[in-house]
């Protein structure tokens, strides 16, 4: 089956090309300019819509009323399809701080669903965001289950699965540096998170395997002035450290427009990945929900702990993240898309197969309008949704 997309604004790595692509089976086989359309068994007239790679979310907890921590196949599939409706074709299901047994069960279920995949949104592995944090920056992570990454603690959580792609951890906590060296040596992305680290501690973390910062400006120390002397926090340190990539929850609420612009100017799209950090209430009505054992309220398009002390993940979706960067932060559309496609693909080493519209790569694709409203999605060369 050869499918041709024509009359599209094709989002490439560094520009937008007016033309289209051809898909054969599960792969992209041709990218062409307008007027050079090849023949196909099926031709989709895109009518000037944007054609982009499928979005890749490296940090998502839930959606559609379900959470990966539920530990059931049904919940995993609900979250996958909830976010796929908003253009996310691949993701890293993410855990949170809970008992070792519950985290281990969630990871096992995620891997079982990943292994049984035949079609639809992809699981690329798992992201362990939980337990190994600074209690000072717990945020919406349950403080009852925050503990250091000792060998005993990590083995009880990680043993039994082989699909861990990313681990979030505070670099300043006891045993963190040795843990980061071990995990990064296995090709796992080590990300500084829920951290109260100083610049020196962040620098030391970078020297020992931390190459990424989880949800920059959220759940981390920021610039402060003890005894009148200004000191960088973990957030500013991540911006300064040249080889450290950063993650943004681009819902327009967690990080304001001016800081989105600042981070983009300092890091560029190649060092920024967008994420949703979505919890179970994503794509659900406003009201009261749970994040682990914590009570959460959804109001005014944001999730907060019921006691008002912290954000509680988000209700963001992939299309909203790209829309925020493109419209609110006024970043070129191909750069905004890159932060939700190519950059995350490179961070977890799947860029050879995913993350850009390139001949030979899997045909994971979205069509969307100027408002970044998803109109069509293809995953692995198969039509997933069609609202054209």
């Amino acid at each position: 089956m050869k499918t041709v997309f024509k009359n599209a604004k094709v989002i490439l790595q560094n520009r937008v090309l007016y033309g289209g692509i051809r898909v054969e089976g599960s792969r992209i086989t041709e990218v062409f300019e307008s007027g050079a359309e090849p023949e196909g068994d099926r031709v989709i007239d895109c009518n000037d819509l944007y054609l982009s790679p499928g979005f890749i979310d490296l940090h998502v907890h839930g959606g559609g009323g379900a959470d990966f921590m539920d530990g059931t196949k049904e919940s995993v599939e609900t979250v996958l399809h909830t976010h796929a409706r908003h253009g996310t074709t691949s993701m890293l299901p993410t855990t949170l701080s809970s008992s070792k047994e519950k985290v281990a069960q969630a990871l096992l279920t995620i891997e079982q669903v990943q292994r049984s995949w035949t079609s639809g949104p992809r699981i690329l592995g798992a992201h362990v965001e939980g337990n190994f944090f600074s209690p000072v920056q717990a945020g919406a992570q349950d403080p009852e289950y925050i503990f250091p990454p000792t060998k005993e603690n990590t083995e009880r959580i990680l043993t039994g699965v082989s699909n861990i792609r990313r681990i979030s951890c505070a670099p300043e906590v006891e045993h963190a540096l040795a843990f980061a060296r071990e995990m990064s040596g296995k090709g796992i992305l080590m990300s500084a998170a829920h951290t109260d680290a100083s610049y020196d501690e962040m620098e030391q973390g970078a020297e020992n395997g931390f190459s990424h910062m989880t949800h920059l400006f959220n759940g981390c120390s920021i610039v402060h002035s003890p005894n009148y002397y200004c000191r960088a926090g973990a957030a500013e340190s991540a911006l300064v450290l040249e080889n450290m990539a950063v993650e943004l929850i681009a819902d327009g609420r967690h990080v304001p427009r001016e800081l989105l612009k600042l981070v983009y100017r300092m890091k560029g799209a190649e060092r920024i990945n967008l994420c949703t950090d979505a919890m179970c209430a994503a794509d659900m009505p406003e009201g009261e929900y749970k994040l682990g054992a914590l009570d959460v309220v959804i109001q005014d398009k944001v999730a907060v702990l019921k006691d008002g002390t912290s954000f509680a993940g988000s209700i963001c979706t992939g299309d909203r993240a790209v829309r925020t960067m493109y419209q609110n932060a006024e970043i070129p559309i191909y750069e905004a898309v890159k932060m939700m496609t190519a950059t995350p693909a490179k961070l977890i080493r799947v860029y050879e197969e995913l993350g850009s519209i390139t001949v030979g790569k899997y045909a994971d694709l979205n069509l969307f309008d100027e408002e970044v409203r998803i109109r069509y999605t293809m995953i692995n060369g198969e039509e997933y949704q069609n609202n054209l």
Side-chain angles (χ1 to χ4, degrees), residues 132-135 146-149 169-177 194-195 201:
F132 316 130
F133 298 142
S134 164
I146 289 179
F147 43 74
C169 173
E172 77 277 18
V173 302
E174 190 178 9
H175 303 289
L177 298 182
H194 292 274
T195 170
E201 289 168 329

Side-chain angles (χ1 to χ4, degrees), residues 10-293:
V10 184
I11 298 178
L12 303 178
Q13 286 293 278
N14 297 301
R15 63 188 176 113
V16 177
L17 170 75
Y18 193 77
I21 68 171
R22 180 168 62 184
V23 173
E24 297 183 35
S26 63
R27 304 277 181 167
I28 299 168
T29 58
E30 186 174 351
V31 180
F32 58 84
E33 293 187 16
S34 181
E37 291 86 353
E39 293 183 355
D41 302 308
R42 181 189 183 204
V43 177
I44 298 176
D45 190 335
C46 302
N47 290 311
D48 295 340
L49 293 173
Y50 287 105
L51 179 63
S52 83
F55 303 149
I56 300 173
D57 193 348
L58 302 187
H59 187 167
V60 53
H61 296 276
D67 191 301
F68 290 119
M69 290 297 294
D70 294 340
T72 68
K73 177 177 179 287
E74 293 74 21
S75 285
V76 171
E77 292 179 345
T78 294
V79 180
L80 290 172
H81 291 291
T82 296
H83 287 278
R85 289 194 294 271
H86 294 273
T88 296
T89 57
S90 300
M91 67 181 71
L92 291 187
T94 304
T95 62
L96 50 76
S97 297
S98 186
S99 70
K100 301 179 187 74
E101 293 74 22
K102 190 168 183 179
V103 176
Q105 180 57 51
L107 290 171
L108 180 61
T109 304
I110 290 163
E111 184 169 55
Q112 289 171 343
V113 175
Q114 180 181 357
R115 288 181 181 275
S116 65
W117 179 85
T118 55
S119 63
R122 303 171 185 270
I123 292 177
L124 299 177
H127 170 196
V128 178
E129 189 208 17
N131 304 107
F132 316 130
F133 298 142
S134 164
V136 178
Q137 294 290 345
Q141 298 281 339
D142 193 335
E144 181 180 350
Y145 298 109
I146 289 179
F147 43 74
T150 62
K151 186 175 181 64
E152 179 186 3
N153 288 336
T154 58
E155 283 185 349
R156 290 186 67 183
I157 289 175
L158 304 180
T159 299
V161 294
S162 59
N163 68 336
I164 306 300
R165 292 272 193 166
R166 174 182 174 186
I167 297 174
S168 288
C169 173
E172 77 277 18
V173 302
E174 190 178 9
H175 303 289
L177 298 182
F179 180 53
R181 288 195 301 272
E182 180 185 0
M183 294 298 105
S184 61
K186 296 179 179 180
I188 294 171
L189 177 68
M190 288 300 299
S191 190
H194 292 274
T195 170
D196 205 43
S198 64
Y199 177 82
D200 289 342
E201 289 168 329
M202 285 290 290
E203 186 176 44
Q204 193 174 18
E207 293 170 353
N208 284 272
F210 284 93
S211 59
H212 185 260
M213 180 81 181
T214 298
H215 46 51
L216 185 71
F217 289 116
N218 302 122
C220 64
S221 56
I222 59 175
V223 64
H224 54 290
S225 302
N227 299 322
Y228 308 107
Y229 291 93
C230 193
R231 296 287 184 268
E236 297 78 24
S237 302
L239 293 175
V240 171
L241 292 166
E242 185 175 354
N243 294 323
M244 185 166 284
V246 300
E247 174 181 85
L248 291 170
I249 304 173
D251 62 355
R253 306 301 298 279
H254 280 72
V255 182
R257 177 172 177 262
E258 61 272 19
L259 285 183
L260 294 175
K261 288 186 171 187
L262 173 66
V263 177
Y264 174 68
R265 289 180 185 177
M266 294 188 70
K267 285 293 188 180
E270 293 77 14
R271 290 285 181 184
I272 302 169
N273 73 285
L274 307 182
C275 80
T276 64
D277 194 14
M279 47 88 73
C280 67
D283 210 29
M284 295 288 285
E286 291 193 349
E288 296 186 3
Y289 295 86
K290 286 280 191 179
L291 183 61

